[in-house]
Amino acid sequence: MIADVRRNDSGAALERSLGYSFTDPALLTLALTHGSTGRADYQRLEFLGDRVLGLVVASELYTRYPTASEGEMSSRLHVLASGATCAAIAQRLNLTDLIRFGAQARNDGGRYSDNIAADAIEALIGVLYLDKGIDAARAFITAHWGEMIDGQAAAPKHPKA
């Protein structure tokens, strides 16, 4: 069985920094477990969290930019839900410091991988959604993505456009 994140100071610190007390700490533990451990990992939660992130950001864009076209909103969404944006937020929260890795991934520098950081933040969003519902996920996303949503003066240009 995976150790409960709350049994150590880092899990409790994450709860304090997020302002949440998880109803199901096993979900938080799962969200912070990389596949290299050979145990159940965060991939399913990442899948769910990615969709929740997209829904919430799309909804915020629809509300905050009432005259934006579908194309403009799509361009904004693409940037806001990108791996690079997710990784930057995960790194700000020091989320990769809490991920459990197998020896090989740890030795290969998994803790410093932007891809893994992005996966972890999406898994965390999935946990928030399952544990506390869409309102908790929305509160987290708007707290961490909100300035970026508001800060986009114009829709970014797609590189191929």
Side-chain angles (χ1 to χ4, degrees):
M1 172 135 195
I2 299 172
D4 183 342
V5 170
R6 276 199 245 182
R7 290 186 188 153
N8 63 43
D9 291 336
S10 54
L14 179 61
E15 282 189 319
R16 280 191 305 277
S17 72
L18 296 177
Y20 295 102
S21 178
F22 290 92
T23 304
D24 186 355
L27 280 175
L28 181 58
T29 299
L30 188 60
L32 298 173
T33 303
H34 187 262
S36 64
T37 63
R39 300 178 179 172
D41 62 44
Y42 60 62
Q43 288 184 344
R44 288 174 46 84
L45 288 167
E46 172 204 348
F47 172 83
L48 177 61
D50 178 56
R51 274 58 186 180
V52 173
L53 174 63
L55 173 65
V56 170
V57 171
S59 175
E60 290 296 314
L61 290 169
Y62 185 85
T63 301
R64 295 180 193 203
Y65 297 94
T67 62
S69 69
E70 182 271 340
E72 288 175 274
M73 290 188 296
S74 289
S75 293
R76 291 175 192 274
L77 176 63
H78 177 75
V79 170
L80 292 164
S82 72
T85 300
C86 289
I89 291 168
Q91 290 163 350
R92 242 184 304 177
L93 294 171
N94 297 315
L95 197 55
T96 56
D97 291 348
L98 304 177
I99 297 174
R100 289 167 174 76
F101 290 99
Q104 184 66 47
R106 187 176 42 253
N107 293 338
D108 288 346
R111 196 161 311 284
Y112 308 104
S113 165
D114 285 347
N115 290 336
I116 292 172
D119 292 349
I121 199 78
E122 290 173 343
L124 179 60
I125 292 168
V127 170
L128 287 166
Y129 175 76
L130 291 175
D131 194 64
K132 300 280 186 177
I134 191 68
D135 290 337
R138 179 180 295 280
F140 175 80
I141 293 165
T142 57
H144 295 283
W145 273 260
E147 284 185 14
M148 289 181 281
I149 295 170
D150 287 335
Q152 286 186 337
K157 298 282 187 215
H158 189 279
K160 293 183 180 179

